[in-house]
């Protein structure tokens, strides 16, 4: 993949630890520049476990498990110790993207909200049914595209070699969802979502033990 010069990069979105640029190329690409969250950075964390690298390989782990992610095209790291951004991820732009956090805060259509929670339960059960845990799986990292399908972004995926690790990862994700939702999801909807989640977890032999955590 040959990228245009930096003059062809246009600001797209600014976050607390990253900046997205839209690259004028056929097809359009997004470049996510990632700022390190901790200092000092040793060579292992900078070059081997850089965030862009983790997101790149996590996308393929999720895709192999049957979950949707943006198409990723490559990643890189900055060799300069003075660079403000440490790594970069190149990925496809998603048409009609909406954060699920924005959705649960703004949508007043009960049927559409129920559909969203059904789809979320399916994906979470599938994720853990494949023995995977998401270290940053909250509402703002799950997109709701075209009011009908989920897409996972900013992914940091790990394999859980033991049941105890899978259980801990599942609990962590539950807490993150509740923390980011705050009062945008009422008690009735949480009960509905949990009912859906228990039913979906039962479909996966590796995830059935998590039903008691819901």
């Amino acid at each position: 993949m040959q990228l245009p010069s930096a003059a062809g990069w246009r600001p797209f979105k600014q976050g607390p630890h990253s900046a997205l640029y839209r690259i004028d190329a056929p097809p359009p690409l997004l470049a996510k520049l990632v700022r390190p969250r901790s200092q000092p950075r040793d060579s292992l964390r900078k070059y081997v476990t850089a965030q862009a690298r983790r997101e790149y390989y996590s996308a393929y782990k999720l895709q192999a498990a049957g979950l949707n992610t943006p198409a990723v095209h490559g990643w890189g790291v900055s060799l300069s110790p003075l660079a403000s951004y440490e790594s970069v991820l190149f990925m496809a732009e998603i048409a009609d993207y909406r954060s699920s956090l924005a959705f649960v805060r703004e949508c007043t259509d009960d049927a559409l909200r129920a559909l969203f929670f059904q789809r979320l339960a399916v994906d979470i059960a599938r994720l853990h049914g494949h023995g995977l845990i998401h270290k940053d799986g909250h509402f703002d990292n799950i997109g709701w595209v075209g009011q009908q399908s989920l897409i996972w972004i900013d992914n940091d995926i790990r394999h859980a070699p033991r049941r105890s690790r899978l259980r801990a990862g599942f609990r962590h994700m539950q807490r993150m969802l509740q923390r980011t939702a705050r009062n945008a999801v009422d008690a009735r909807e949480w009960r509905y979502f949990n009912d859906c989640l228990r039913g979906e977890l039962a479909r996966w032999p590796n995830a059935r033990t998590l039903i008691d955590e819901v």
Side-chain angles (χ1 to χ4, degrees):
M1 178 183 64
Q2 184 175 1
L3 296 176
S5 68
W9 294 31
R10 292 184 287 110
F12 185 81
K13 183 180 179 182
Q14 183 74 40
H17 301 288
S18 63
L20 276 176
Y21 286 82
R22 192 175 190 272
I23 301 175
D24 294 326
L29 293 175
L30 294 180
K32 179 182 178 182
L33 297 173
V34 183
R35 183 181 292 113
R37 301 189 183 190
S38 62
Q39 295 287 358
R41 304 293 284 176
D42 56 56
S43 295
L44 176 66
R45 285 184 291 174
K46 181 170 182 177
Y47 300 118
V48 180
T49 63
Q51 183 176 333
R53 182 184 189 276
R54 297 199 308 271
E55 289 189 33
Y56 179 83
Y57 288 105
S58 292
Y60 284 108
K61 290 176 184 178
L62 288 179
Q63 291 167 17
L67 279 71
N68 294 324
T69 75
V72 290
H73 298 289
W75 65 278
V77 296
S78 171
L79 299 179
S80 171
L82 302 177
S84 58
Y85 292 97
E86 180 176 272
S87 60
V88 59
L89 176 70
F90 299 102
M91 57 188 174
E93 185 175 353
I94 307 162
D96 200 17
Y97 177 87
R98 185 183 189 187
S99 162
S100 65
L101 182 58
F103 171 79
V104 297
R105 285 176 175 174
E106 299 166 4
C107 179
T108 58
D109 185 321
D110 288 342
L112 196 55
R113 292 177 71 93
L115 175 63
F116 167 80
F117 285 112
Q118 291 168 14
R119 299 284 168 83
L120 182 60
V122 169
D123 272 18
I124 291 177
R126 180 177 290 274
L127 174 76
H128 294 87
H130 280 83
L132 302 174
I133 54 177
H134 200 310
K135 295 189 68 177
D136 208 17
H138 54 73
F139 278 111
D140 208 26
N141 283 347
I142 306 169
W144 184 232
V145 181
Q147 306 283 49
Q148 61 182 355
S149 61
L150 298 175
I151 190 162
W152 295 72
I153 65 168
D154 292 350
N155 300 302
D156 194 352
I157 302 299
R158 300 287 193 277
H159 284 283
R162 299 183 300 277
R163 291 282 180 90
S164 59
R165 285 282 302 277
L166 188 66
R167 190 179 296 273
F170 182 75
R171 290 171 178 166
H172 175 68
M173 187 169 186
Q174 286 180 305
R175 290 193 297 269
M176 295 195 76
L177 288 171
Q178 291 171 347
R179 189 180 304 129
T180 52
R182 297 185 182 179
N183 61 351
V185 179
D186 62 28
R188 176 186 56 83
E189 283 187 313
W190 280 123
R191 287 194 297 271
Y192 175 74
F193 168 64
N194 288 333
D195 286 344
C196 293
L197 184 54
R198 280 188 287 266
E200 294 299 328
L201 289 170
R203 300 174 183 270
W204 296 92
N206 293 336
R208 289 172 185 163
T209 58
L210 300 176
I211 294 175
D212 293 340
E213 299 291 337
V214 180

